Each structure stands twice: as structure tokens, then as C-alpha cells.
Amino acid sequence: MAAMDNSAPLLLDVTRQIWRRWEGVRPTGIDRICDAWLEHFAPRSQAVIITKGRQVILPVPASQALFAALASPKSSKSPTSSTAIFRRKLVWIALRWGWCWLRNLDGNGRFWLNAGHTGLHNVGLIDWCARANVRPIYLVHDLIPITHPQFCRPGEDAKHAKRIHTVLQTATAVVANSRDTLDTLSRFADTANMPVAHAIVAWPGCPSLSRRPAEDQREDLATFVILGTIEARKNHALLLSVWKRLVDTMGDACPCLVIVGRRGWEADDVFRLLDHQDFRGKVIEAGPLDDTQLAEVLARARALLFPSHAEGFGIPLIEALAASIPVIASDLDVFREIAGDIPELLPAKDEDEWVAALKDYASDHSVRRQRQLARLAGYAPPTWADHFNKVDALLEGLE
């Protein structure tokens, strides 16, 4: 019967989107990628949901209702209201289609597209892939909890290792968000004596931000921005130490640092500094901002700062470059991969180098900044069209 329609060409995992929308958290880079996959693949897919005790393939009508709820606009002015509306929609779907949870629909050899990682560590998931007859296609974002466990929540390294083992054991193919991520995955597989399935690299697309206004139309030239969850890996601690030095040596002439993002984990030292250190108004914790607010803040900035110890890709970096905003970042292989020699790349632990660069970029006559603006001319960011051309070609080649 129509209600049990199991005929969509693809299966699309939406586990991460459901819990993120339910909790009402602002989207991270991974969330943006999952949303892009939802927009691209939902019209020809059925939904897959993973819980601790069960995995379910929803029939077409239930899937389309769920996809529509997930794609509904997120209000930046009233995020609480948006969350409440989504929760009501999800409850309605559960009441209308909850009986589907008791049906074990077969995957019929279809591709199961998983861009979110959520639940891949669950016991029984590997067996379900075989039992449900699905062919997994995983987007791997990073292996940071394994390679840099000191920057992650306790136990996250073991949990992520289970996720990656699931990927290696079950994948029909892997999409890596960068060559650096794929190389790291290959090294992990070699250590585990496991093969890597057919893999491609497909950089995520860049959302469009407003381009930088003309220099003479801008205010607050001596402002810098760091974007992202405040966590140890993002290295806010370096910048706060740098700003303490700048405040002490430059006084009122010290540039401003605007910190955009919510407070995360493993960064108690940073939180203490933000709460108790006197930066004389030169460090502003703005919290999470919507895209419009972020574009306005970045447009006034001398540069985006990106001093991370590790990244799988770096969406803020390409967003800034696409908007003609210079970037000062840590010298990571992945940043060289996605941006070449355009950004100013510095050692993540060299405080003196960061102090020197920031003093230079804060100047109205910064030679280093003008050189980066010249390198920025003609920069073309990766697009979602390019990303999905590669992923679609992968799927077609595997048919």
C-alpha cells in the first residue's frame, strides 16, 4: 500500500539533524554539510534514523514529511520559537507515522548516505548494514578525536574509533571532505590493518557571505574575529594570551578581538580568562551569531583569525576568503590544501609570531595585509555544485 512505499532510489540518514533541531543548537560546519545533503538528496530518498537500540528505514510518505520538517526555516530572531515549532512537527510525524518504527523495511541494495557520523559507534550497526541490505556511503569529516584526543571530551577518542571502524568495515565508498582527511583515514586504516573502500575527495561548498565593503566605507578597522565553538582545539587560549600582551603594550590603540561562537568543552582556562581577566574592553565575547550578523561583524574586521591545532577542513576560512576578508591561521596541511598561499599561516604555538602579525595587520598601512588582499584577487571558493557533481558521479559509477 502507498503508506508503506519503499521505492525511493536512495536512503538518507537524518539522525544528526533530528537531534540538533530538537535541541535547538545553532548549526556547526558539519550541520551545514548535512543540511546541504538533505537539500540535494531528499527529493529522491527515504529517511534512515539510528537510535541506541534500533535502526529504521521510513517509508516514502513518512520520509517526505520528516524531510519537510527538517528543511523548515530556522528563525534567527526567535530560535526558541523555531525549536518549539519543529518539536511539534516531529511529534505530529511520530503520532501519524509511529507505526512505521515497527516495520523492518529492506534496503534492497540501495545506497545509504550518511554525512553525520551520529550513531555509527552503536553496537549492532555493522550487523544491521548487512541485515537491512544497505550499501553505505559515508562522508568522513575528520579523525580529530583519535589524532588529538587531548582537545576532545573524555572518551570521545574511543567512541570515534568505533565510528571509523564501522566506516572501514561497511563502506561501499567514502567521501572525504579534504585530501588531508583522506590521508589521515588511510593511516588509521593501515594501523588497524583494514582496507579503505573506494574513496573520493569532495570539498564542501561555501555559503555566500556579503563581500567586504570598500575600505573607506568601513568602521573599526582594528578589529579581528575568531569564529567557532570555544573549545581547546580552536586555540582561543593563544589569542587571549596574545591580547593580554597587546593590551599591556598598546593601551587604547590595541585592536579588538570579537569571539563568535558558543562555549564548548575542555576550555575551562579560556572561560576563566573571559570571565575574570581585564582586557579593557578589547575582547568581546559575542556568542553565536546568525549568518547576517556574522557577515556584518566580518565585514568590519581586519582579518579572520583561525589558530586551530587541528581541522578536518575549515569552512570559516573559505567563507572569509570568498568575502575578500584576509585570514591569519595556523599552519595546517589542510589549510594549505584548500587555500594555497593566500592566508597568513603561522605556527599554532608561536605567540611572538602572532603578536607581530596582529600588530602589522592592525596598522592602517599594513604591508602584509595588502599583500594578502592582492593574493585574494580572483579567489574562487569551492561550490556545492562542484561537491555534488563529484558525489553524484561517484554514485553513478558504483551502480
Side-chain angles (χ1 to χ4, degrees):
M1 72 185 175
M4 288 304 296
D5 186 352
N6 190 34
S7 63
L10 298 170
L11 305 173
L12 179 64
D13 195 286
V14 290
T15 307
R16 180 184 175 93
Q17 287 106 310
I18 290 172
W19 75 262
R20 299 286 287 182
R21 287 296 299 272
W22 183 271
E23 293 295 331
V25 296
R26 290 191 181 274
T28 64
I30 292 178
D31 296 322
R32 293 174 184 273
I33 293 169
C34 289
D35 287 345
W37 277 46
L38 176 68
E39 180 180 359
H40 184 76
F41 290 114
R44 48 195 167 119
S45 295
Q46 287 169 233
V48 175
I49 304 172
I50 300 172
T51 68
K52 288 184 178 180
R54 186 171 175 80
Q55 300 79 31
V56 64
I57 299 171
L58 295 182
V60 171
S63 297
Q64 292 306 315
L66 178 56
F67 292 154
L70 289 169
S72 60
K74 310 174 185 72
S75 172
S76 58
K77 295 182 179 179
S78 181
T80 301
S81 176
S82 293
T83 300
I85 291 171
F86 173 75
R87 288 177 177 177
R88 287 197 294 270
K89 289 179 178 179
L90 195 61
V91 169
W92 180 88
I93 291 169
L95 292 173
R96 173 68 178 83
W97 299 101
W99 55 270
C100 297
W101 202 258
L102 304 176
R103 304 296 182 98
N104 295 313
L105 295 182
D106 195 278
N108 297 323
R110 287 171 291 176
F111 296 125
W112 167 39
L113 309 178
N114 186 301
H117 289 186
T118 301
L120 296 187
H121 64 288
N122 287 358
V123 174
L125 186 62
I126 293 174
D127 291 339
W128 175 79
C129 290
R131 187 171 64 252
N133 191 21
V134 299
R135 301 168 66 194
I137 308 291
Y138 298 106
L139 173 57
V140 177
H141 299 273
D142 62 66
L143 282 78
I144 291 171
I146 301 169
T147 58
H148 297 79
Q150 69 272 29
F151 301 131
C152 301
R153 295 183 181 93
E156 190 63 22
D157 52 343
K159 185 182 293 185
H160 202 58
K162 290 179 181 178
R163 296 187 191 109
I164 298 303
H165 273 104
T166 297
V167 169
L168 294 174
Q169 287 184 248
T170 65
T172 297
V174 168
V175 179
N177 64 346
S178 66
R179 171 58 57 182
D180 186 64
T181 294
L182 183 54
D183 290 344
T184 306
L185 176 66
S186 297
R187 289 193 293 270
F188 178 88
D190 287 344
T191 301
N193 197 27
M194 300 174 72
V196 178
H198 179 65
I200 64 167
V201 173
W203 292 351
C206 175
S208 59
L209 294 176
S210 300
R211 294 188 69 82
R212 167 185 294 282
E215 295 289 311
D216 60 359
Q217 295 176 349
R218 293 167 48 240
E219 301 175 352
D220 303 326
L221 295 183
T223 297
F224 297 88
V225 177
I226 179 172
L227 170 61
T229 301
I230 304 175
E231 54 172 302
R233 175 171 62 89
K234 298 294 185 178
N235 205 12
H236 292 75
L238 169 83
L239 293 186
L240 293 184
S241 182
V242 165
W243 245 264
K244 179 64 168 63
R245 290 174 57 176
L246 294 176
V247 168
D248 290 343
T249 57
M250 299 178 69
D252 291 341
C254 175
C256 286
L257 172 65
V258 179
I259 300 174
V260 179
R262 66 183 179 89
R263 292 193 178 193
W265 50 88
E266 302 301 312
D268 289 346
D269 56 336
V270 172
F271 304 150
R272 281 193 293 271
L273 288 171
L274 290 173
D275 291 336
H276 303 295
Q277 177 69 48
D278 181 12
F279 290 102
R280 303 183 201 174
K282 297 300 184 178
V283 174
I284 301 168
E285 186 181 0
L289 301 179
D290 63 33
D291 288 348
T292 300
Q293 294 168 325
L294 175 59
E296 292 173 354
V297 169
L298 284 174
R300 296 194 298 268
R302 278 292 185 171
L304 173 77
L305 306 182
F306 208 162
S308 291
H309 291 290
E311 292 289 341
F313 186 70
I315 288 178
L317 186 149
I318 62 171
E319 285 179 338
L321 297 184
S324 298
I325 298 161
V327 175
I328 306 174
S330 49
D331 191 358
L332 301 180
D333 288 343
V334 69
F335 289 167
R336 291 186 178 277
E337 174 189 342
I338 66 178
D341 63 353
I342 295 176
E344 191 99 26
L345 298 179
L346 307 175
K349 297 180 179 180
D350 195 327
E351 200 173 292
D352 290 341
E353 287 245 27
W354 282 85
V355 168
L358 290 165
K359 282 184 175 180
D360 185 278
Y361 271 66
S363 167
D364 289 340
H365 307 288
S366 169
V367 173
R368 292 169 68 169
R369 185 169 175 275
Q370 289 303 319
R371 286 173 178 169
Q372 182 170 169
L373 287 171
R375 296 195 298 270
L376 257 171
Y379 171 75
T383 67
W384 283 117
D386 291 338
H387 177 88
F388 286 116
N389 283 341
K390 292 180 179 179
V391 177
D392 287 338
L394 169 69
L395 299 182
E396 291 173 8
L398 294 170
E399 288 288 1

mmCIF file with all atom_site columns, all heavy atoms in Angstrom, residues 282-304:
data_model
loop_
_atom_site.group_PDB
_atom_site.id
_atom_site.type_symbol
_atom_site.label_atom_id
_atom_site.label_alt_id
_atom_site.label_comp_id
_atom_site.label_asym_id
_atom_site.label_entity_id
_atom_site.label_seq_id
_atom_site.pdbx_PDB_ins_code
_atom_site.Cartn_x
_atom_site.Cartn_y
_atom_site.Cartn_z
_atom_site.occupancy
_atom_site.B_iso_or_equiv
_atom_site.pdbx_formal_charge
_atom_site.auth_seq_id
_atom_site.auth_comp_id
_atom_site.auth_asym_id
_atom_site.auth_atom_id
_atom_site.pdbx_PDB_model_num
ATOM 1   N N   . LYS A 1 282 ? 38.754 45.250 25.132 1.00 0.00 ? 282 LYS A N   1
ATOM 2   C CA  . LYS A 1 282 ? 39.336 44.909 23.831 1.00 0.00 ? 282 LYS A CA  1
ATOM 3   C C   . LYS A 1 282 ? 39.051 43.474 23.409 1.00 0.00 ? 282 LYS A C   1
ATOM 4   O O   . LYS A 1 282 ? 39.414 43.078 22.300 1.00 0.00 ? 282 LYS A O   1
ATOM 5   C CB  . LYS A 1 282 ? 40.849 45.136 23.864 1.00 0.00 ? 282 LYS A CB  1
ATOM 6   C CG  . LYS A 1 282 ? 41.247 46.596 24.091 1.00 0.00 ? 282 LYS A CG  1
ATOM 7   C CD  . LYS A 1 282 ? 40.724 47.510 22.994 1.00 0.00 ? 282 LYS A CD  1
ATOM 8   C CE  . LYS A 1 282 ? 41.196 48.939 23.180 1.00 0.00 ? 282 LYS A CE  1
ATOM 9   N NZ  . LYS A 1 282 ? 40.734 49.819 22.082 1.00 0.00 ? 282 LYS A NZ  1
ATOM 10  N N   . VAL A 1 283 ? 38.410 42.676 24.276 1.00 0.00 ? 283 VAL A N   1
ATOM 11  C CA  . VAL A 1 283 ? 37.975 41.322 23.923 1.00 0.00 ? 283 VAL A CA  1
ATOM 12  C C   . VAL A 1 283 ? 36.474 41.250 24.154 1.00 0.00 ? 283 VAL A C   1
ATOM 13  O O   . VAL A 1 283 ? 35.992 41.503 25.256 1.00 0.00 ? 283 VAL A O   1
ATOM 14  C CB  . VAL A 1 283 ? 38.702 40.244 24.759 1.00 0.00 ? 283 VAL A CB  1
ATOM 15  C CG1 . VAL A 1 283 ? 38.116 38.862 24.478 1.00 0.00 ? 283 VAL A CG1 1
ATOM 16  C CG2 . VAL A 1 283 ? 40.192 40.260 24.453 1.00 0.00 ? 283 VAL A CG2 1
ATOM 17  N N   . ILE A 1 284 ? 35.739 40.919 23.101 1.00 0.00 ? 284 ILE A N   1
ATOM 18  C CA  . ILE A 1 284 ? 34.281 40.892 23.147 1.00 0.00 ? 284 ILE A CA  1
ATOM 19  C C   . ILE A 1 284 ? 33.808 39.477 22.840 1.00 0.00 ? 284 ILE A C   1
ATOM 20  O O   . ILE A 1 284 ? 34.089 38.945 21.756 1.00 0.00 ? 284 ILE A O   1
ATOM 21  C CB  . ILE A 1 284 ? 33.672 41.869 22.120 1.00 0.00 ? 284 ILE A CB  1
ATOM 22  C CG1 . ILE A 1 284 ? 34.155 43.294 22.408 1.00 0.00 ? 284 ILE A CG1 1
ATOM 23  C CG2 . ILE A 1 284 ? 32.143 41.786 22.127 1.00 0.00 ? 284 ILE A CG2 1
ATOM 24  C CD1 . ILE A 1 284 ? 33.862 44.276 21.298 1.00 0.00 ? 284 ILE A CD1 1
ATOM 25  N N   . GLU A 1 285 ? 33.125 38.851 23.781 1.00 0.00 ? 285 GLU A N   1
ATOM 26  C CA  . GLU A 1 285 ? 32.540 37.533 23.553 1.00 0.00 ? 285 GLU A CA  1
ATOM 27  C C   . GLU A 1 285 ? 31.120 37.741 23.033 1.00 0.00 ? 285 GLU A C   1
ATOM 28  O O   . GLU A 1 285 ? 30.203 38.043 23.787 1.00 0.00 ? 285 GLU A O   1
ATOM 29  C CB  . GLU A 1 285 ? 32.539 36.712 24.836 1.00 0.00 ? 285 GLU A CB  1
ATOM 30  C CG  . GLU A 1 285 ? 32.070 35.278 24.625 1.00 0.00 ? 285 GLU A CG  1
ATOM 31  C CD  . GLU A 1 285 ? 32.056 34.463 25.913 1.00 0.00 ? 285 GLU A CD  1
ATOM 32  O OE1 . GLU A 1 285 ? 32.416 35.004 26.979 1.00 0.00 ? 285 GLU A OE1 1
ATOM 33  O OE2 . GLU A 1 285 ? 31.682 33.273 25.835 1.00 0.00 ? 285 GLU A OE2 1
ATOM 34  N N   . ALA A 1 286 ? 30.944 37.584 21.724 1.00 0.00 ? 286 ALA A N   1
ATOM 35  C CA  . ALA A 1 286 ? 29.664 37.887 21.086 1.00 0.00 ? 286 ALA A CA  1
ATOM 36  C C   . ALA A 1 286 ? 28.680 36.728 21.155 1.00 0.00 ? 286 ALA A C   1
ATOM 37  O O   . ALA A 1 286 ? 27.488 36.909 20.894 1.00 0.00 ? 286 ALA A O   1
ATOM 38  C CB  . ALA A 1 286 ? 29.891 38.281 19.625 1.00 0.00 ? 286 ALA A CB  1
ATOM 39  N N   . GLY A 1 287 ? 29.179 35.505 21.469 1.00 0.00 ? 287 GLY A N   1
ATOM 40  C CA  . GLY A 1 287 ? 28.295 34.343 21.449 1.00 0.00 ? 287 GLY A CA  1
ATOM 41  C C   . GLY A 1 287 ? 27.984 33.925 20.025 1.00 0.00 ? 287 GLY A C   1
ATOM 42  O O   . GLY A 1 287 ? 28.567 34.429 19.065 1.00 0.00 ? 287 GLY A O   1
ATOM 43  N N   . PRO A 1 288 ? 27.044 33.002 19.842 1.00 0.00 ? 288 PRO A N   1
ATOM 44  C CA  . PRO A 1 288 ? 26.685 32.571 18.488 1.00 0.00 ? 288 PRO A CA  1
ATOM 45  C C   . PRO A 1 288 ? 25.907 33.665 17.751 1.00 0.00 ? 288 PRO A C   1
ATOM 46  O O   . PRO A 1 288 ? 25.080 34.363 18.350 1.00 0.00 ? 288 PRO A O   1
ATOM 47  C CB  . PRO A 1 288 ? 25.807 31.335 18.727 1.00 0.00 ? 288 PRO A CB  1
ATOM 48  C CG  . PRO A 1 288 ? 25.282 31.494 20.108 1.00 0.00 ? 288 PRO A CG  1
ATOM 49  C CD  . PRO A 1 288 ? 26.317 32.246 20.891 1.00 0.00 ? 288 PRO A CD  1
ATOM 50  N N   . LEU A 1 289 ? 26.199 33.840 16.481 1.00 0.00 ? 289 LEU A N   1
ATOM 51  C CA  . LEU A 1 289 ? 25.524 34.827 15.640 1.00 0.00 ? 289 LEU A CA  1
ATOM 52  C C   . LEU A 1 289 ? 24.904 34.141 14.430 1.00 0.00 ? 289 LEU A C   1
ATOM 53  O O   . LEU A 1 289 ? 25.410 33.114 13.967 1.00 0.00 ? 289 LEU A O   1
ATOM 54  C CB  . LEU A 1 289 ? 26.509 35.894 15.155 1.00 0.00 ? 289 LEU A CB  1
ATOM 55  C CG  . LEU A 1 289 ? 27.253 36.711 16.224 1.00 0.00 ? 289 LEU A CG  1
ATOM 56  C CD1 . LEU A 1 289 ? 28.199 37.699 15.551 1.00 0.00 ? 289 LEU A CD1 1
ATOM 57  C CD2 . LEU A 1 289 ? 26.282 37.449 17.136 1.00 0.00 ? 289 LEU A CD2 1
ATOM 58  N N   . ASP A 1 290 ? 23.833 34.717 13.899 1.00 0.00 ? 290 ASP A N   1
ATOM 59  C CA  . ASP A 1 290 ? 23.280 34.172 12.657 1.00 0.00 ? 290 ASP A CA  1
ATOM 60  C C   . ASP A 1 290 ? 24.117 34.672 11.482 1.00 0.00 ? 290 ASP A C   1
ATOM 61  O O   . ASP A 1 290 ? 25.047 35.476 11.631 1.00 0.00 ? 290 ASP A O   1
ATOM 62  C CB  . ASP A 1 290 ? 21.798 34.536 12.509 1.00 0.00 ? 290 ASP A CB  1
ATOM 63  C CG  . ASP A 1 290 ? 21.555 36.034 12.407 1.00 0.00 ? 290 ASP A CG  1
ATOM 64  O OD1 . ASP A 1 290 ? 22.403 36.756 11.842 1.00 0.00 ? 290 ASP A OD1 1
ATOM 65  O OD2 . ASP A 1 290 ? 20.501 36.499 12.889 1.00 0.00 ? 290 ASP A OD2 1
ATOM 66  N N   . ASP A 1 291 ? 23.798 34.190 10.284 1.00 0.00 ? 291 ASP A N   1
ATOM 67  C CA  . ASP A 1 291 ? 24.631 34.497 9.116  1.00 0.00 ? 291 ASP A CA  1
ATOM 68  C C   . ASP A 1 291 ? 24.689 35.995 8.822  1.00 0.00 ? 291 ASP A C   1
ATOM 69  O O   . ASP A 1 291 ? 25.735 36.525 8.443  1.00 0.00 ? 291 ASP A O   1
ATOM 70  C CB  . ASP A 1 291 ? 24.114 33.744 7.887  1.00 0.00 ? 291 ASP A CB  1
ATOM 71  C CG  . ASP A 1 291 ? 24.390 32.252 7.970  1.00 0.00 ? 291 ASP A CG  1
ATOM 72  O OD1 . ASP A 1 291 ? 25.168 31.840 8.851  1.00 0.00 ? 291 ASP A OD1 1
ATOM 73  O OD2 . ASP A 1 291 ? 23.821 31.488 7.161  1.00 0.00 ? 291 ASP A OD2 1
ATOM 74  N N   . THR A 1 292 ? 23.564 36.690 8.987  1.00 0.00 ? 292 THR A N   1
ATOM 75  C CA  . THR A 1 292 ? 23.543 38.120 8.711  1.00 0.00 ? 292 THR A CA  1
ATOM 76  C C   . THR A 1 292 ? 24.419 38.875 9.697  1.00 0.00 ? 292 THR A C   1
ATOM 77  O O   . THR A 1 292 ? 25.218 39.748 9.313  1.00 0.00 ? 292 THR A O   1
ATOM 78  C CB  . THR A 1 292 ? 22.102 38.656 8.776  1.00 0.00 ? 292 THR A CB  1
ATOM 79  O OG1 . THR A 1 292 ? 21.305 37.984 7.798  1.00 0.00 ? 292 THR A OG1 1
ATOM 80  C CG2 . THR A 1 292 ? 22.067 40.156 8.506  1.00 0.00 ? 292 THR A CG2 1
ATOM 81  N N   . GLN A 1 293 ? 24.276 38.550 10.973 1.00 0.00 ? 293 GLN A N   1
ATOM 82  C CA  . GLN A 1 293 ? 25.097 39.200 11.993 1.00 0.00 ? 293 GLN A CA  1
ATOM 83  C C   . GLN A 1 293 ? 26.573 38.894 11.786 1.00 0.00 ? 293 GLN A C   1
ATOM 84  O O   . GLN A 1 293 ? 27.432 39.775 11.929 1.00 0.00 ? 293 GLN A O   1
ATOM 85  C CB  . GLN A 1 293 ? 24.649 38.750 13.377 1.00 0.00 ? 293 GLN A CB  1
ATOM 86  C CG  . GLN A 1 293 ? 23.248 39.184 13.766 1.00 0.00 ? 293 GLN A CG  1
ATOM 87  C CD  . GLN A 1 293 ? 22.749 38.469 15.014 1.00 0.00 ? 293 GLN A CD  1
ATOM 88  O OE1 . GLN A 1 293 ? 23.054 37.291 15.233 1.00 0.00 ? 293 GLN A OE1 1
ATOM 89  N NE2 . GLN A 1 293 ? 21.994 39.170 15.843 1.00 0.00 ? 293 GLN A NE2 1
ATOM 90  N N   . LEU A 1 294 ? 26.869 37.638 11.444 1.00 0.00 ? 294 LEU A N   1
ATOM 91  C CA  . LEU A 1 294 ? 28.261 37.245 11.226 1.00 0.00 ? 294 LEU A CA  1
ATOM 92  C C   . LEU A 1 294 ? 28.865 38.018 10.064 1.00 0.00 ? 294 LEU A C   1
ATOM 93  O O   . LEU A 1 294 ? 30.005 38.486 10.134 1.00 0.00 ? 294 LEU A O   1
ATOM 94  C CB  . LEU A 1 294 ? 28.344 35.743 10.964 1.00 0.00 ? 294 LEU A CB  1
ATOM 95  C CG  . LEU A 1 294 ? 29.728 35.198 10.606 1.00 0.00 ? 294 LEU A CG  1
ATOM 96  C CD1 . LEU A 1 294 ? 30.723 35.482 11.718 1.00 0.00 ? 294 LEU A CD1 1
ATOM 97  C CD2 . LEU A 1 294 ? 29.651 33.703 10.317 1.00 0.00 ? 294 LEU A CD2 1
ATOM 98  N N   . ALA A 1 295 ? 28.110 38.150 8.976  1.00 0.00 ? 295 ALA A N   1
ATOM 99  C CA  . ALA A 1 295 ? 28.611 38.881 7.811  1.00 0.00 ? 295 ALA A CA  1
ATOM 100 C C   . ALA A 1 295 ? 28.936 40.327 8.180  1.00 0.00 ? 295 ALA A C   1
ATOM 101 O O   . ALA A 1 295 ? 29.944 40.890 7.732  1.00 0.00 ? 295 ALA A O   1
ATOM 102 C CB  . ALA A 1 295 ? 27.590 38.837 6.681  1.00 0.00 ? 295 ALA A CB  1
ATOM 103 N N   . GLU A 1 296 ? 28.099 40.927 9.025  1.00 0.00 ? 296 GLU A N   1
ATOM 104 C CA  . GLU A 1 296 ? 28.342 42.306 9.437  1.00 0.00 ? 296 GLU A CA  1
ATOM 105 C C   . GLU A 1 296 ? 29.608 42.421 10.280 1.00 0.00 ? 296 GLU A C   1
ATOM 106 O O   . GLU A 1 296 ? 30.397 43.357 10.112 1.00 0.00 ? 296 GLU A O   1
ATOM 107 C CB  . GLU A 1 296 ? 27.132 42.820 10.227 1.00 0.00 ? 296 GLU A CB  1
ATOM 108 C CG  . GLU A 1 296 ? 25.874 42.989 9.374  1.00 0.00 ? 296 GLU A CG  1
ATOM 109 C CD  . GLU A 1 296 ? 24.648 43.325 10.207 1.00 0.00 ? 296 GLU A CD  1
ATOM 110 O OE1 . GLU A 1 296 ? 24.764 43.314 11.452 1.00 0.00 ? 296 GLU A OE1 1
ATOM 111 O OE2 . GLU A 1 296 ? 23.583 43.593 9.618  1.00 0.00 ? 296 GLU A OE2 1
ATOM 112 N N   . VAL A 1 297 ? 29.801 41.473 11.189 1.00 0.00 ? 297 VAL A N   1
ATOM 113 C CA  . VAL A 1 297 ? 30.992 41.500 12.038 1.00 0.00 ? 297 VAL A CA  1
ATOM 114 C C   . VAL A 1 297 ? 32.253 41.290 11.206 1.00 0.00 ? 297 VAL A C   1
ATOM 115 O O   . VAL A 1 297 ? 33.250 42.006 11.365 1.00 0.00 ? 297 VAL A O   1
ATOM 116 C CB  . VAL A 1 297 ? 30.884 40.430 13.149 1.00 0.00 ? 297 VAL A CB  1
ATOM 117 C CG1 . VAL A 1 297 ? 32.218 40.267 13.871 1.00 0.00 ? 297 VAL A CG1 1
ATOM 118 C CG2 . VAL A 1 297 ? 29.794 40.809 14.137 1.00 0.00 ? 297 VAL A CG2 1
ATOM 119 N N   . LEU A 1 298 ? 32.208 40.320 10.309 1.00 0.00 ? 298 LEU A N   1
ATOM 120 C CA  . LEU A 1 298 ? 33.383 40.049 9.481  1.00 0.00 ? 298 LEU A CA  1
ATOM 121 C C   . LEU A 1 298 ? 33.709 41.212 8.552  1.00 0.00 ? 298 LEU A C   1
ATOM 122 O O   . LEU A 1 298 ? 34.876 41.490 8.272  1.00 0.00 ? 298 LEU A O   1
ATOM 123 C CB  . LEU A 1 298 ? 33.159 38.772 8.665  1.00 0.00 ? 298 LEU A CB  1
ATOM 124 C CG  . LEU A 1 298 ? 33.293 37.449 9.422  1.00 0.00 ? 298 LEU A CG  1
ATOM 125 C CD1 . LEU A 1 298 ? 32.898 36.281 8.527  1.00 0.00 ? 298 LEU A CD1 1
ATOM 126 C CD2 . LEU A 1 298 ? 34.710 37.259 9.933  1.00 0.00 ? 298 LEU A CD2 1
ATOM 127 N N   . ALA A 1 299 ? 32.675 41.889 8.060  1.00 0.00 ? 299 ALA A N   1
ATOM 128 C CA  . ALA A 1 299 ? 32.912 42.992 7.130  1.00 0.00 ? 299 ALA A CA  1
ATOM 129 C C   . ALA A 1 299 ? 33.700 44.121 7.764  1.00 0.00 ? 299 ALA A C   1
ATOM 130 O O   . ALA A 1 299 ? 34.355 44.902 7.066  1.00 0.00 ? 299 ALA A O   1
ATOM 131 C CB  . ALA A 1 299 ? 31.569 43.517 6.605  1.00 0.00 ? 299 ALA A CB  1
ATOM 132 N N   . ARG A 1 300 ? 33.661 44.230 9.090  1.00 0.00 ? 300 ARG A N   1
ATOM 133 C CA  . ARG A 1 300 ? 34.396 45.291 9.783  1.00 0.00 ? 300 ARG A CA  1
ATOM 134 C C   . ARG A 1 300 ? 35.773 44.832 10.245 1.00 0.00 ? 300 ARG A C   1
ATOM 135 O O   . ARG A 1 300 ? 36.509 45.607 10.874 1.00 0.00 ? 300 ARG A O   1
ATOM 136 C CB  . ARG A 1 300 ? 33.583 45.770 10.993 1.00 0.00 ? 300 ARG A CB  1
ATOM 137 C CG  . ARG A 1 300 ? 32.261 46.406 10.645 1.00 0.00 ? 300 ARG A CG  1
ATOM 138 C CD  . ARG A 1 300 ? 31.680 47.145 11.847 1.00 0.00 ? 300 ARG A CD  1
ATOM 139 N NE  . ARG A 1 300 ? 31.413 46.252 12.962 1.00 0.00 ? 300 ARG A NE  1
ATOM 140 C CZ  . ARG A 1 300 ? 30.246 45.652 13.160 1.00 0.00 ? 300 ARG A CZ  1
ATOM 141 N NH1 . ARG A 1 300 ? 29.259 45.812 12.297 1.00 0.00 ? 300 ARG A NH1 1
ATOM 142 N NH2 . ARG A 1 300 ? 30.062 44.858 14.216 1.00 0.00 ? 300 ARG A NH2 1
ATOM 143 N N   . ALA A 1 301 ? 36.118 43.578 9.975  1.00 0.00 ? 301 ALA A N   1
ATOM 144 C CA  . ALA A 1 301 ? 37.337 43.004 10.553 1.00 0.00 ? 301 ALA A CA  1
ATOM 145 C C   . ALA A 1 301 ? 38.559 43.198 9.670  1.00 0.00 ? 301 ALA A C   1
ATOM 146 O O   . ALA A 1 301 ? 38.477 43.174 8.447  1.00 0.00 ? 301 ALA A O   1
ATOM 147 C CB  . ALA A 1 301 ? 37.133 41.510 10.806 1.00 0.00 ? 301 ALA A CB  1
ATOM 148 N N   . ARG A 1 302 ? 39.676 43.377 10.331 1.00 0.00 ? 302 ARG A N   1
ATOM 149 C CA  . ARG A 1 302 ? 40.951 43.377 9.628  1.00 0.00 ? 302 ARG A CA  1
ATOM 150 C C   . ARG A 1 302 ? 41.265 41.992 9.063  1.00 0.00 ? 302 ARG A C   1
ATOM 151 O O   . ARG A 1 302 ? 41.855 41.865 8.004  1.00 0.00 ? 302 ARG A O   1
ATOM 152 C CB  . ARG A 1 302 ? 42.062 43.786 10.592 1.00 0.00 ? 302 ARG A CB  1
ATOM 153 C CG  . ARG A 1 302 ? 42.207 45.278 10.784 1.00 0.00 ? 302 ARG A CG  1
ATOM 154 C CD  . ARG A 1 302 ? 42.693 45.912 9.515  1.00 0.00 ? 302 ARG A CD  1
ATOM 155 N NE  . ARG A 1 302 ? 42.961 47.318 9.676  1.00 0.00 ? 302 ARG A NE  1
ATOM 156 C CZ  . ARG A 1 302 ? 43.558 48.039 8.731  1.00 0.00 ? 302 ARG A CZ  1
ATOM 157 N NH1 . ARG A 1 302 ? 43.923 47.480 7.606  1.00 0.00 ? 302 ARG A NH1 1
ATOM 158 N NH2 . ARG A 1 302 ? 43.750 49.315 8.909  1.00 0.00 ? 302 ARG A NH2 1
ATOM 159 N N   . ALA A 1 303 ? 40.870 40.958 9.820  1.00 0.00 ? 303 ALA A N   1
ATOM 160 C CA  . ALA A 1 303 ? 41.126 39.591 9.366  1.00 0.00 ? 303 ALA A CA  1
ATOM 161 C C   . ALA A 1 303 ? 40.315 38.634 10.232 1.00 0.00 ? 303 ALA A C   1
ATOM 162 O O   . ALA A 1 303 ? 39.961 38.941 11.371 1.00 0.00 ? 303 ALA A O   1
ATOM 163 C CB  . ALA A 1 303 ? 42.611 39.241 9.451  1.00 0.00 ? 303 ALA A CB  1
ATOM 164 N N   . LEU A 1 304 ? 40.035 37.480 9.680  1.00 0.00 ? 304 LEU A N   1
ATOM 165 C CA  . LEU A 1 304 ? 39.542 36.352 10.454 1.00 0.00 ? 304 LEU A CA  1
ATOM 166 C C   . LEU A 1 304 ? 40.752 35.636 11.039 1.00 0.00 ? 304 LEU A C   1
ATOM 167 O O   . LEU A 1 304 ? 41.745 35.394 10.338 1.00 0.00 ? 304 LEU A O   1
ATOM 168 C CB  . LEU A 1 304 ? 38.759 35.393 9.558  1.00 0.00 ? 304 LEU A CB  1
ATOM 169 C CG  . LEU A 1 304 ? 38.337 34.069 10.228 1.00 0.00 ? 304 LEU A CG  1
ATOM 170 C CD1 . LEU A 1 304 ? 37.146 34.288 11.138 1.00 0.00 ? 304 LEU A CD1 1
ATOM 171 C CD2 . LEU A 1 304 ? 38.025 32.996 9.184  1.00 0.00 ? 304 LEU A CD2 1
#
